Amino acid sequence: MIEIRRHNAGFCHQCFVKHCRDQVARTVESNSMLTSQDRVLVAVSGGKDSLALWDILLSLGYRADGLYIGLGIGDYSSESAAYARRFAASRSARLVEVDLPGDFGFDIPTGSRAAKRAPCSACGLSKRHLFNSEALKGGYQVIATGHNLDDEAAVLFGNVLRWDLAYLGRQQPVLAEGAGFVKKVKPLVRLAERETAAYCVLEGIDYIVEECPMSAGNRHLGYKELLNRVEETSPGTKSAFLFGFFDKVAPLVGQVAAEERESLHACPSCANPTVSGICAFCKLVERASSNT
Amino acid sequence: MGHAAVKVLLRNPRRALEVPGPVTVASLLAHLDISREAVLVIVDGTLVTGDSVLDDSVSVEIRPVISGGSV
Ligand code: SF4
Ligand SMILES: [Zn+2]
């Protein structure tokens, strides 16, 4: 029996698994995220959300491969890679792997120090870059990431606190393809992280429970705790906050992001879209290698 | 007496402790000051609800579900 307070409901094992898959199917269909013909690349970290996402997309019959990026963060990276590989093998699914130290000569801890960036900032830009370039290289039509309801509500909360219009404009469950970008989708936005974790336990999916050591003090973690406190006294607040934004506000601010995209050009070094000159990822690679 | 106790495994960081049974999941979490919404409680690879009773010598894992990291 799994209790979901937001839905004011309890589910048995089978009904809960069906509930999760139905929520994802509904999100995918109502936002035109994927067609049955699309080849989709799932960004896989070895954690609960990305493995649940990959499992659900496969169970719904989509043509989903995984992409794992080795970040060179000590034991955390080697362990999370093992979970991703084990899952792929258990489903006979294809896992594409990129290794920052092996393929680009730097890891997140040293690369971020060399570039004077916060680790999560260097990591985030590297992942976004590699998702896009690997999808282009492999001929995938769509990239899917495991952002869940809690992640998106916390990010939205942060963007609203700063009224960051460019970020707000980009915070959508679907970002269309164009200007060198592969289409990006977030099929888990209707599932809370408690639900993706429960899905993994019930479906026997082993994932890395330990956190990335770089995540300590992360701002979004604080926002999540704040929102969870509100949710405890009034269940449903998080989802009303997020879906109210998607329905009412995102269409109004989407234009800002669209204009920003139009002003992009191809990075002279790697051809991925960027604002000016060489892109942030190529700069990071350059700084990290000149420092070693 | 020795091993007659509920064996509790906490994660992030990983640590183990023992509490005397029988105890319900809800009161175990209250005793440890852990919010039920923030964790899954797992016995024998499956989820248990707040009113489940944990007897001595049962092993139970309390696994947090909130993950951090940037996007
Ligand atoms: S916590 Fe930060 S450094 Fe660690 S994987 Fe997430 S974004 Fe990367
Ligand atoms: Zn570049």
Side-chain angles (χ1 to χ4, degrees):
Chain A
M1 186 81 166
I2 300 99
E3 303 138 304
I4 308 290
R5 288 183 69 210
R6 181 172 95 255
H7 296 303
N8 205 359
F11 295 94
C12 71
H13 181 153
Q14 289 313 319
C15 293
F16 179 77
V17 168
K18 183 175 182 304
H19 153 81
C20 292
R21 292 178 179 165
D22 287 351
Q23 292 285 331
V24 172
R26 182 176 151 209
T27 309
V28 168
E29 281 157 28
S30 64
N31 292 283
S32 307
M33 287 182 171
L34 296 171
T35 69
S36 56
Q37 301 310 309
D38 283 337
R39 289 183 61 231
V40 50
L41 191 58
V42 181
V44 175
S45 68
K48 64 189 192 317
D49 302 306
S50 56
L51 291 181
L53 172 61
W54 197 5
D55 185 76
I56 293 173
L57 290 180
L58 289 172
S59 77
L60 294 173
Y62 289 107
R63 303 169 69 196
D65 292 346
L67 168 63
Y68 177 83
I69 297 173
L71 302 166
I73 308 179
D75 291 347
Y76 171 75
S77 283
S78 45
E79 278 168 33
S80 57
Y83 284 103
R85 288 178 197 136
R86 263 200 299 270
F87 177 84
S90 75
R91 300 295 191 272
S92 304
R94 176 158 187 262
L95 181 68
V96 180
E97 292 196 43
V98 179
D99 189 55
L100 275 185
D103 299 326
F104 294 92
F106 74 99
D107 56 38
I108 291 300
T110 52
S112 61
R113 241 174 286 134
K116 297 190 173 58
R117 276 182 178 269
C120 292
S121 149
C123 182
L125 83 85
S126 301
K127 287 189 287 198
R128 279 192 300 275
H129 173 94
L130 293 169
F131 294 162
N132 199 61
S133 58
E134 286 302 311
L136 285 172
K137 198 158 80 181
Y140 293 91
Q141 284 78 39
V142 188
I143 300 159
T145 58
H147 297 94
N148 58 43
L149 199 163
D150 294 83
D151 297 327
E152 290 298 295
V155 169
L156 175 62
F157 191 72
N159 290 341
V160 166
L161 283 181
R162 284 181 294 283
W163 291 117
D164 192 324
L165 285 188
Y167 278 122
L168 284 168
R170 258 178 275 152
Q171 200 185 350
Q172 310 204 15
V174 178
L175 280 177
E177 64 168 337
F181 289 106
V182 177
K183 179 177 178 180
K184 271 177 105 175
V185 303
K186 299 169 181 169
L188 296 187
V189 289
R190 285 187 182 280
L191 290 179
E193 56 190 349
R194 196 160 193 279
E195 293 172 279
T196 61
Y199 180 90
C200 287
V201 172
L202 293 174
E203 286 296 279
I205 299 170
D206 245 343
Y207 62 90
I208 185 155
V209 176
E210 282 66 36
E211 285 287 311
C212 169
M214 308 276 151
S215 74
N218 186 289
R219 204 167 41 204
H220 289 128
L221 215 54
Y223 296 155
K224 275 187 182 178
E225 280 159 16
L226 235 141
L227 290 170
N228 282 342
R229 230 170 293 155
V230 180
E231 183 82 13
E232 259 175 46
T233 46
S234 39
T237 304
K238 268 187 296 203
S239 109
F241 177 53
L242 183 62
F243 286 94
F245 168 76
F246 285 154
D247 294 342
K248 297 172 195 159
V249 185
L252 303 176
V253 291
Q255 190 55 27
V256 180
E259 280 164 16
E260 199 186 55
R261 260 191 177 196
E262 272 167 31
S263 65
L264 298 179
H265 69 274
C267 166
S269 165
C270 73
N272 271 263
T274 180
V275 200
S276 67
I278 138 173
C279 79
F281 181 73
C282 289
K283 266 183 224 157
L284 179 63
V285 175
E286 205 180 271
R287 290 208 193 131
S289 57
S290 66
N291 245 271
T292 45
Chain B
M1 290 292 292
H3 287 89
V6 179
K7 291 167 188 58
V8 184
L9 172 67
L10 294 154
R11 310 286 299 265
N12 278 340
R14 184 183 269 270
R15 57 218 188 275
L17 51 97
E18 298 194 343
V19 297
V23 60
T24 66
V25 167
S27 53
L28 173 66
L29 292 178
H31 170 70
L32 297 171
D33 197 21
I34 293 173
S35 158
R36 257 171 76 184
E37 285 294 304
V39 295
L40 294 176
V41 183
I42 304 171
V43 176
D44 279 337
T46 197
L47 302 172
V48 294
T49 48
D51 54 10
S52 312
V53 177
L54 305 168
D55 286 315
D56 278 341
S57 83
V58 162
S59 293
V60 56
E61 177 188 340
I62 299 178
R63 184 186 292 189
V65 296
I66 301 178
S67 48
S70 121
V71 276

